[in-house]
Amino acid sequence: MQNVGETTGETTIVQWDSALEAIERCYELGWTDGLPVVPPTVDRVNQFIEASKRASSDLVGQIPERRRDITVGKVAANAAMAGCLPEYMPVLLAAVEAMLDPVFNLVGPSSSMGGSAILSIVNGPVAKEIGLNSRNNLFGPGNRANATIGRAIRLILMNLGAGIPGVSSMTIFGMPSRFTYCLTENMEDHPWESLSVSKGYSGDENVITMAMVAANTTVKPP
């Protein structure tokens, strides 16, 4: 089994004999968020690159503070590891482009002691097309698109942006939303306009909004 991954910005090729060995090797290489990842085989990663309709070497954005160039191929590898489907790639690429915009100030809040998490809000037809959940258990488990898109963003931040807990990510407590934090709005059951429409986009445009959000729970002392 052949694998492509990113640890220091260079492509790493590793040979494995079994899926279990591949999963354990990903742990050893530091490519996980603490949970097992899907081994990003060359064939699988290429499926994601093809779905993006872009070249693997195309630059998505940069993190100049850490001297990192984020390419389509690197995003594809982390999307595969997160358990995404190839059709999620357009959403992921838009998310990465947004959070790498200098205005977003990715390095500041992602390395602070405060522990904010990256929230992705997807609007437009694409949300329904890829099966994003907008109803019950919105922030909980059970939906592949929500869970894996949010997880891919965290893996990208860790593997490509060097946002490693205790190294450059210095949050004290962290929070579960640092594993995954992706949703869409339920536009069928409420009378308000969507977030994207409120920002000047039309309702039939595919839009993703990225935000650094602080912890949404409070721990009370006994």
Side-chain angles (χ1 to χ4, degrees):
M1 183 178 292
Q2 201 175 48
N3 171 53
V4 178
E6 304 296 331
T7 50
T8 61
E10 299 297 330
T11 299
T12 302
I13 304 294
V14 183
Q15 296 287 339
W16 292 309
D17 295 325
S18 69
L20 181 59
E21 183 183 348
I23 290 170
E24 292 301 325
R25 186 71 174 124
C26 287
Y27 274 112
E28 294 171 8
L29 291 167
W31 293 347
T32 85
D33 52 6
L35 296 172
V37 294
V38 177
T41 63
V42 171
D43 288 344
R44 185 61 171 164
V45 172
N46 283 338
Q47 291 176 19
F48 283 78
I49 295 170
E50 291 173 5
S52 75
K53 299 180 181 179
R54 298 174 62 176
S56 177
S57 59
D58 279 1
L59 185 67
V60 181
Q62 297 176 308
I63 306 178
E65 298 90 341
R66 294 176 181 161
R67 300 179 182 179
R68 295 297 180 94
D69 293 335
I70 312 302
T71 64
V72 170
K74 294 176 182 180
V75 172
N78 283 273
M81 287 195 290
C84 291
L85 291 175
E87 50 262 42
Y88 303 168
M89 273 295 282
V91 173
L92 267 174
L93 289 172
V96 174
E97 288 174 356
M99 72 181 187
L100 294 182
D101 188 310
V103 175
F104 191 76
N105 186 28
L106 177 65
V107 171
S110 65
S111 61
S112 76
M113 297 173 68
S116 56
I118 299 178
L119 171 65
S120 308
I121 304 173
V122 182
N123 290 114
V126 69
K128 184 173 290 188
E129 290 169 6
I130 64 175
L132 279 166
N133 176 38
S134 65
R135 295 175 179 269
N136 300 77
N137 198 38
L138 183 61
F139 289 100
N143 182 276
R144 183 175 188 172
N146 295 58
T148 61
I149 290 173
R151 188 188 187 196
I153 290 168
R154 176 54 54 179
L155 288 176
I156 288 164
L157 183 59
M158 294 176 65
N159 293 333
L160 308 183
I164 309 300
V167 178
S168 57
S169 177
M170 303 308 294
T171 177
I172 297 173
F173 294 109
M175 52 189 183
S177 51
R178 282 187 146 229
F179 278 101
T180 179
Y181 213 11
C182 176
L183 57 90
T184 187
E185 296 182 270
N186 181 356
M187 297 309 301
E188 297 177 359
D189 297 327
H190 72 73
W192 304 286
E193 63 185 13
S194 70
L195 173 63
S196 60
V197 169
S198 73
K199 297 297 183 181
Y201 297 92
S202 68
D204 58 358
E205 286 185 274
N206 293 320
V207 178
I208 187 163
T209 303
M210 308 296 289
M212 280 288 188
V213 180
N216 53 11
T217 58
T218 302
V219 178
K220 295 182 179 180

